[in-house]
Amino acid sequence: MRGAPPARIVDDIEALKREAGIAACSFVRSGMKLGLGTGSTVRYTVLEIGRRVAEEGLDVTGVPTSEATRELSESLGIPLLTLNEAGELDLTIDGADEFDPNFDLIKGGGGALTREKRVAEASRAMVVVADDRKQVGVLGAFDLPMEVVASDWEDVRDHMARICPGEVRLRGGRAPYLTDDGGYILDCEFGPTISDPESLQSQIRSVAGVVDVGLFVSICDAVVMSSSSSVRTLLKDNGRLS
Ligand code: 5RP
C-alpha cells in the first residue's frame, strides 16, 4: 500500500543545530565580508563556511565575535579581519537564546553579547540560526545577560535589582565568568515579561557600569529555524532580506 512519505523527524538537538547552522550558509556568497557569531549552533555555520573555503574556493572574509570563534575560523583557514579593518559587513550570522515575533532577540548565553552586537550593528543584514526551542511569544524566560565593568558589578547588580522582578546573578558566582574583554556577566531573571525590549534596553544601557545588554532590537532580519519536522527560513516583514 502506498501512502505519504514518512514525516521527517529529527529529535536530536545537536542534529537540529547542525541543520540550522548549515542551512544559513545559503545566504553566503563569494566576496562577502561576514560577521561570524558565537555559540554551539553558529559553530556549524562556521564549519560549513570553512569547508566551502577549502573545498569550493569560497572567497569570504570574516569578523569573529569572540576569541573562540576566531580560533575556530583560523583553524579552518577562513581569512579574518578585525571589525575596525573591515568597516561595514555584508552579513552577520549568529545564534540566539530567544527570538520573538518581531525578530528581537536575547543573546549572550555564551557571554559574547557586546562584540556580537557591535558586529551585527556594523552589518547590512543579520541572520539568526536557531532551533525552535528559541522561538517565544515574549522575551525573558531565558535570563537576560548583560556585560558589566568588573569593578562595578555590585553597584550594577543593586541597580538592576530595582528594575528586574526576579533574581540578578553574577555568572560564575565566586569564580566570575570573564568575557573576552575582561567584563563580568549578570544574568537577570525577568521571566517572559519583556514586551518592550527597546525601552528596557535604553533603561539598562543608561546604568553606569553597564557595557551592554543582550537585547538585540531591530537588528535581526531572518531566522533559519530547525524543528523536528523541517528547516524554515523566517523573513522579517520589511526587513533588509525580504
Ligand atoms: C553567545 C550567544 C549565542 O549566540 C547564544 O547563546 C546561542 O547559543 P547556542 O547556539 O549555543 O544555543 O549569544 O553570546
Side-chain angles (χ1 to χ4, degrees), residues 17 37-43 65-66 94-98 106-114 116 126 128-131 133-134 142 145 171 177 185 214 216:
K17 291 180 182 189
T38 297
S40 58
T41 312
V42 76
R43 180 172 173 277
T65 53
S66 64
D94 204 344
D97 300 301
E98 287 186 348
I106 286 183
K107 285 185 51 55
L113 63 102
T114 302
E116 289 173 333
M126 180 189 194
V128 158
V129 288
D131 59 74
R133 296 170 307 156
K134 312 285 184 73
F142 189 93
R171 190 176 297 180
Y177 172 91
I185 298 282
F216 283 50

Side-chain angles (χ1 to χ4, degrees), residues 28-31 34 48-49 52-60 79:
V28 174
R29 303 272 178 275
S30 259
L34 296 171
E48 176 64 3
I49 291 170
R52 285 174 60 185
V53 167
E55 294 178 13
E56 299 172 5
L58 178 73
D59 175 22
V60 292

Side-chain angles (χ1 to χ4, degrees), residues 32-214:
M32 281 185 162
K33 287 191 279 186
L34 296 171
L36 303 173
T38 297
S40 58
T41 312
V42 76
R43 180 172 173 277
Y44 287 109
T45 308
V46 178
L47 289 171
E48 176 64 3
I49 291 170
R51 186 196 67 75
R52 285 174 60 185
V53 167
E55 294 178 13
E56 299 172 5
L58 178 73
D59 175 22
V60 292
T61 46
V63 174
T65 53
S66 64
E67 291 307 302
T69 298
R70 184 180 59 73
E71 281 167 25
L72 175 64
S73 306
E74 275 177 357
S75 75
L76 296 166
I78 302 173
L80 298 180
L81 293 171
T82 64
L83 185 55
N84 186 262
E85 290 165 339
E88 189 178 49
L89 306 181
D90 296 291
L91 177 70
T92 285
I93 305 179
D94 204 344
D97 300 301
E98 287 186 348
F99 66 94
D100 75 7
N102 297 319
F103 293 66
D104 293 334
L105 315 173
I106 286 183
K107 285 185 51 55
L113 63 102
T114 302
R115 289 194 192 183
E116 289 173 333
K117 198 185 282 191
R118 277 202 214 114
V119 169
E121 285 179 340
S123 302
R124 281 202 279 268
M126 180 189 194
V127 172
V128 158
V129 288
D131 59 74
D132 61 349
R133 296 170 307 156
K134 312 285 184 73
Q135 185 175 38
V136 300
V138 179
L139 297 173
F142 189 93
D143 289 353
L144 177 63
M146 51 196 290
E147 180 167 354
V148 300
V149 175
S151 56
D152 291 337
W153 79 268
E154 285 163 307
D155 288 340
V156 178
R157 179 203 54 197
D158 294 348
H159 197 113
M160 284 307 300
R162 297 197 284 276
I163 298 174
C164 176
E167 275 191 59
V168 178
R169 296 183 203 85
L170 178 64
R171 190 176 297 180
R174 289 187 183 174
Y177 172 91
L178 268 189
T179 71
D180 285 340
D181 298 307
Y184 285 178
I185 298 282
L186 294 177
D187 291 303
C188 306
E189 195 185 335
F190 276 88
T193 62
I194 306 175
S195 52
D196 186 352
E198 187 165 17
S199 75
L200 183 61
Q201 173 177 241
S202 315
Q203 199 180 359
I204 294 174
R205 276 177 153 176
S206 70
V207 177
V210 171
V211 179
D212 213 332
V213 59

Side-chain angles (χ1 to χ4, degrees), residues 6-11 16 19 132 225-232:
R8 169 189 171 285
I9 303 288
V10 180
D11 282 334
L16 294 180
E19 287 196 336
D132 61 349
M225 183 181 77
S226 56
S227 68
S228 62
S229 56
S230 65
V231 182
R232 286 192 294 152

